[in-house]
Amino acid sequence: MSWRLFRTPALAGALALAALAAYLISTGLDIRAARDGYLAQCHATAGCAPVLARLVGDYRTRLLLLAGVLGLVPVLIGMFWGAPLVARELETGTHRLAWNQSVPRRRWLAVRLATVVLAAMLVAGAAAALLTWAAAPVDAVAGDRFGTVNFGARFLSPVGQAALAAALGAATGLFLRRTLPAMALTAVAVLTVLFVMPNAVRPHLMPALHVTRAMTAEEIDRAHSLGTLGSAPVVKGIDVPGAWVTSTSELLTPDGRPLDPGVFDDCLMRAPKTGATGTFGDSSPCLAAHDLHLNIAFQPNDRFWRFQLTETGLYLLLSALVAALSLWRIRHRT
């Protein structure tokens, strides 16, 4: 019965997955053909790094867009598979028939929820596997395994996201008892989880390592930007080779105190003329003259799979808790 009720949404999901798979396979073959062409060039010129960097530049935007599309899959699953699961029964009144058969209502919900959650995990896992395969040559060169968008769209994490989205949708529909409001609230809830996880939870899944880096003029010129709208003494875009930088301190003086914002602003806006030709011109030697340093927290790339497994396990644990709440609620409602 669960399959008969779910087969139309499942067919729609299968068709969408087939279309996405066709595009991802085409993109993956295109990337590999481009990589082979670039490798032929670098063998002829004895320099692969600059040539392969062009491969990353050619496909970075497309792969980010595909990762963004894949990030919407849990949202759509929660809205169209999870939210109507119970809400439609309550809204149309068919729960009076469904819940008065020989099958108890908790078993009814458990089987229907398991059907949808497993289907959601299969669809999200297949899409993630295809994107991981298609982007593999670019990811190998870029080395951005912990990127906020890339991490959540590759390997195992989308499987956990889809399970939680389906469970959240079903629980929301059970409590709201109306399909459209449940769909809207589910979308907001899933988007909130997908924003909070990489920005507030993921950096703290494991204790970070720390390093202190002296900010010479050369180091400052390697940064992406200096300062904020409030002229805070910050440096953005500092990299640690082979690692994910989770946080950086403000520019610190030799005694460990933050650099005075007035001094920082003077170096940005009124630096003495030195003829420096780096990224930030005269500002870099002006700041370097104050003997500054940064405290950097980072996660090594060799922790990637531990982060993937931990985050996916956290999603699945939350899914189980939400499902348990739904089973409790359906048993105790009139």
Side-chain angles (χ1 to χ4, degrees):
M1 178 63 71
S2 295
W3 168 244
R4 289 179 63 187
L5 293 172
F6 182 63
R7 58 188 175 188
T8 299
L11 178 60
L15 292 175
L17 178 62
L20 181 62
Y23 185 77
L24 287 172
I25 291 172
S26 174
T27 299
L29 294 175
D30 191 23
I31 289 174
R32 283 157 175 76
R35 178 197 58 186
D36 293 342
Y38 283 132
L39 286 175
Q41 294 179 32
C42 77
H43 291 325
T45 59
C48 283
V51 174
L52 289 178
R54 291 165 55 191
L55 175 69
V56 177
D58 289 346
Y59 291 97
R60 184 191 300 275
T61 301
R62 187 192 301 188
L63 292 175
L64 282 175
L65 289 174
L66 285 170
V69 170
L70 191 60
L72 292 176
V73 169
V75 181
L76 297 175
I77 285 173
M79 289 177 63
F80 293 101
W81 286 8
L85 189 69
V86 183
R88 183 174 292 127
E89 300 277 357
L90 296 170
E91 197 170 38
T92 60
T94 54
H95 67 288
R96 296 185 181 90
L97 174 63
W99 296 355
N100 284 283
Q101 305 301 310
S102 59
V103 176
R105 66 178 70 177
R106 292 178 68 178
R107 180 179 172 186
W108 175 91
L109 178 60
V111 174
R112 294 207 60 191
L113 190 57
T115 302
V116 173
V117 168
L118 289 175
M121 293 170 68
L122 286 173
V123 169
L130 287 165
L131 179 59
T132 301
W133 170 81
V138 175
D139 290 345
V141 177
D144 188 23
R145 305 189 81 188
F146 276 105
T148 300
V149 178
N150 291 340
F151 186 94
R154 309 281 204 276
F155 298 102
L156 299 177
S157 184
V159 176
Q161 296 169 21
L164 179 57
L168 273 176
T172 304
L174 178 59
F175 279 86
L176 293 185
R177 306 183 60 168
R178 294 292 183 271
T179 302
L180 290 179
M183 292 173 69
L185 186 57
T186 297
V188 173
V190 175
L191 287 172
T192 300
V193 170
L194 296 182
F195 176 80
V196 170
M197 180 63 76
N199 292 287
V201 178
R202 187 182 300 158
H204 306 291
L205 290 177
M206 294 182 191
L209 302 181
H210 298 269
V211 66
T212 298
R213 179 176 296 178
M215 296 308 291
T216 63
E218 292 76 14
E219 285 291 341
I220 293 172
D221 281 330
R222 292 191 184 101
H224 296 167
S225 63
L226 292 177
T228 62
L229 292 176
S231 296
V234 298
V235 179
K236 297 180 180 179
I238 296 296
D239 295 324
V240 173
W244 167 39
V245 174
T246 56
S247 66
T248 57
S249 67
E250 294 184 348
L251 288 168
L252 304 175
T253 58
D255 59 1
R257 293 184 299 178
L259 178 67
D260 182 83
V263 175
F264 182 72
D265 189 58
D266 285 340
C267 283
L268 286 186
M269 309 303 297
R270 295 171 290 275
K273 301 298 181 183
T274 62
T277 58
T279 305
F280 302 106
D282 296 319
S283 296
S284 298
C286 177
L287 290 170
H290 294 279
D291 194 19
L292 304 173
H293 65 275
L294 286 178
N295 292 330
I296 304 171
F298 67 94
Q299 298 285 355
N301 281 346
D302 59 12
R303 294 182 176 181
F304 175 82
W305 276 107
R306 279 183 283 174
F307 268 86
Q308 277 278 334
L309 291 170
T310 303
E311 182 171 309
T312 304
L314 182 57
Y315 279 128
L316 294 177
L317 176 61
L318 291 174
S319 304
L321 292 175
V322 173
L325 176 63
S326 299
L327 292 171
W328 173 86
R329 174 63 174 170
I330 202 171
R331 177 67 180 83
H332 290 82
R333 67 173 297 118
T334 302

